[in-house]
Amino acid sequence: METPHTLIFLVYPGFQLLDLTGPLAMFAGANRQAGRRLYDIQVAAPQAGPVESSSGLPVVAGTSLRDAAARIDGSVTAILAGGEAPGIRAALEAPDVARFVETAFARAGRVASVCSGAFLLARWGDLAGCRVTTHWRSADRLQRHFPDLVVEPDAIFIREGRVWTSAGVTAGIDMALAMIETDHDRGLALAVARETVVARMRSGGQAQFSAELAAQGVDDRRLARLAETIRRAPERDWSVAAMCDALAVSPRTLSRLCRREMATSPAAFVERVRIDHARILLVETGRRIDAIAQVSGFGTHQRMDRAFMRQLGVTPSEYRARFSSPLPEKA
């Protein structure tokens, strides 16, 4: 029988609870779906025993970091949880955390971080020139403190060789599902996602902060409805007149709504929704870029190129190369 893959989760006082429990639940789900132990899951902390999370709920670490480090070899994946500011600052100065991360980089088959756990990887790991991500609120700070990294502030997760990094909180679930797919197959990852009622398996290249999510966060719900309407049919002619008809408002009201709630114009709002739609197709399908441009509402490859450069600073081809798995092209 296949030897289980060992996962060691690093936690510390003040860690973010979902950074641990989200990915852990996915790997435990893989064990259940397979009917056998594919993953041997361990939780390690500076000292074995109860470790209080940032939410106040303690988790029992079954082993100390010192003992866990002694067991690291090429069959191990080390996953570092993020934490709130006081907890992560203390972890950055903890000798046992430093030794564990250094050992993981030297010996583990795979090292990973969730959210601000990327600071621990950057502090003690060999990440020079490595593409990484973290929670969008921490991305600028990570780049300032570690200028030799290539921080991607908008990615859900990034795999760079044996180093995996993910954005905040729930993005750790997406990274864990991608690891399960890499270790085994997509069918198993999808079965785990269905069991845990994950709405959809998100690729690493999806936006942390999409136009639709931004619209849901504003006080006026009309923009959220408009974003959802555009997302369902991005290829339609979303002129100002068409948007006004959809919301039953005047052009002046629509313009004021977009400016007040999202600091943008109606045309730029449509472009952002279409870019989000195109990004999903670029990284999750093998469709040709000109076909994606059409169904996403850009019409031509060239127009989509210009929109991507304005909003993301890369072309659609560069975006696909950066975030997607190789897939055969389809018309």
Side-chain angles (χ1 to χ4, degrees), residues 114-234:
V114 183
C115 197
S116 56
F119 284 84
L120 303 176
L121 285 182
R123 176 72 178 272
W124 292 299
D126 182 14
L127 287 181
C130 190
R131 291 172 50 243
V132 300
T133 193
T134 188
H135 192 288
W136 58 270
R137 282 182 175 157
S138 302
D140 286 345
R141 187 165 71 253
L142 182 64
Q143 187 69 82
R144 286 197 308 272
H145 285 300
F146 303 99
D148 56 345
L149 303 184
V150 180
V151 179
E152 300 277 0
D154 202 30
I156 296 292
F157 64 85
I158 289 175
R159 178 185 181 182
E160 189 86 333
R162 67 189 187 98
V163 177
W164 296 59
T165 54
S166 75
V169 199
T170 59
I173 292 173
D174 300 290
M175 181 177 71
L177 289 170
M179 287 182 175
I180 292 168
E181 180 178 359
T182 299
D183 295 343
H184 300 284
D185 56 57
R186 186 167 181 81
L188 178 60
L190 285 168
V192 174
R194 285 193 297 267
E195 179 193 32
T196 52
V197 201
V198 172
R200 65 192 306 270
M201 283 176 58
R202 297 185 296 176
S203 63
Q206 288 195 40
Q208 288 191 37
F209 202 58
S210 68
E212 191 174 354
L213 182 62
Q216 290 174 7
V218 302
D219 292 335
D220 197 312
R221 299 294 298 166
R222 288 177 291 183
L223 276 186
R225 294 202 309 272
L226 180 60
E228 171 61 21
T229 302
I230 296 170
R231 185 188 64 80
R232 286 199 298 263

